[in-house]
Amino acid sequence: MAIKNLMNKSFLTRAISGVLLVAIILLTVIIGADVCFIAIMLASLIGLAEIYKVVGINAKKLSILGYVGTVVLFIMVRFTGYEHLGMFIVLYTLVILAAYVFSFPAYKTEEMMMLIFGVIYVSVMMSFVYSVRASESGIYTVWLIFICAWGCDTCAYLTGVTLGKHKMAPVLSPKKSIEGAVGGVIGAAAIGALYGYIVRNQVVGIKDTMLVFALISAAGALISMVGDLAASAIKRNYGIKDFGKLIPGHGGILDRFDSILFTAPVVYYFLVFLGKNYFG
C-alpha cells in the first residue's frame, strides 16, 4: 500500500508539473517573439549550468565564458540570424583556447572542450526555437518542434507498450523498442499532417502545408530519438539519473528538452528548404 501511494504521489507530481510546464510554454510562445527570446535564453543558461555541473566545471571561474558566450549568441541571433554563426563558433573557440593557454595549468583539456561543447549542444541548438517563433508564421510553425519531440515520444510509448518486442537501444534505454520508434515516427507525421490541415490558411510561404508538416514531423521525430538517447548516454557516462531537479517529476531543463535541442534546428532548416520563401 505504501509503495502504491508513493507511486500515485510521484505520478501526481509529474502530472501537475507537466501541465504547468505546458502552460508556461503556451504563454511564452503565444505572447510574442520577444518573450520567447528571453525565455529560451534563460532556459539555455539553466541548461548550460546543468551540464556544466554534471561534468564538474560549473563552479570553476572559466565557466563564466560559457554563460557570456550564450548571451552573445542570442543577441547575435536576435539581430542577424545565423549569418554569422560560423564566425561566432570560431571566435568563441579561440577565446576558450586563449583562456586555457594563459591560465595553464589550472584547467584540463577536457574541461575546456566541455566549455565549447556545452554552448553548442545547449545554447546554439536551443536558439532555433526562438528563430522559428520569430518568423512571420512562427506562432503556428513553432509547434512543429514540440510535435516532433513530444508527439513522437507519446506515440512511441503507446506503440511500444502494446506492440514493442525488439529492443532499439538495450544498453542506453532498455524500454525503447523498434516498434515504438516506428509508431512514434508515424504518429508524429500524422499529428503534423492534421496540424498542417488546421493551420493551412494561416501559414505563409508554404503551399502544401499538410505534406510539408508531415515530412517535417517525421524527420524531426527520427532526430528527436537521437537527442533523447544522446542525453541518456551523457547521463550514463556520468552515473546520474537526471541533469537537474528544476521540474518536479521530470528532472532538469535538459531532461525535458533533450529532444527539443535536436528537433528545433531540424524544423528550422526544413522550413528553409521545403518552405522556399518561408523566411523571406
Side-chain angles (χ1 to χ4, degrees), residues 39 69 155 161 237 257:
C155 293
V161 168
N237 278 337
F257 287 79

Side-chain angles (χ1 to χ4, degrees), residues 2-160:
I3 295 177
K4 184 177 180 180
N5 290 334
L6 180 61
M7 291 177 65
N8 289 337
K9 182 178 179 181
S10 176
F11 175 79
L12 183 61
T13 299
R14 182 180 176 85
I16 292 174
S17 60
V19 170
L20 290 175
L21 178 62
V22 171
I24 291 173
I25 292 173
L26 283 170
L27 288 173
T28 298
V29 172
I30 292 173
I31 290 176
D34 290 335
V35 174
C36 184
F37 171 81
I38 295 172
I40 295 301
M41 183 170 66
L42 289 176
S44 296
L45 290 169
I46 295 171
L48 195 61
E50 289 177 353
I51 197 166
Y52 281 176
K53 183 178 180 181
V54 168
V55 300
I57 61 175
N58 191 48
K60 299 192 175 184
K61 293 180 180 179
L62 279 187
S63 65
I64 189 66
L65 294 176
Y67 303 120
V68 172
T70 293
V71 174
V72 172
L73 167 71
F74 270 84
I75 293 174
M76 180 197 75
V77 171
R78 172 69 175 79
F79 293 102
T80 66
Y82 295 103
E83 181 181 355
H84 305 298
L85 179 60
M87 182 178 68
F88 165 81
I89 293 175
V90 170
L91 290 177
Y92 176 70
T93 301
L94 290 175
V95 169
I96 296 298
L97 292 177
Y100 176 47
V101 169
F102 292 112
S103 63
F104 191 84
Y107 299 93
K108 297 179 180 179
T109 305
E110 294 80 4
E111 293 174 329
M112 310 312 290
M113 292 173 66
M114 286 307 302
L115 282 173
I116 299 171
F117 171 76
V119 168
I120 296 175
Y121 174 61
V122 179
S123 308
V124 172
M125 305 282 266
M126 188 86 80
S127 70
F128 283 94
V129 177
Y130 161 71
S131 295
V132 174
R133 174 60 184 88
S135 61
E136 185 175 351
S137 300
I139 192 170
Y140 301 105
T141 55
V142 72
W143 300 111
L144 286 172
I145 296 173
F146 301 97
I147 289 174
C148 291
W150 296 344
C152 172
D153 187 52
T154 301
C155 293
Y157 172 77
L158 294 174
T159 306

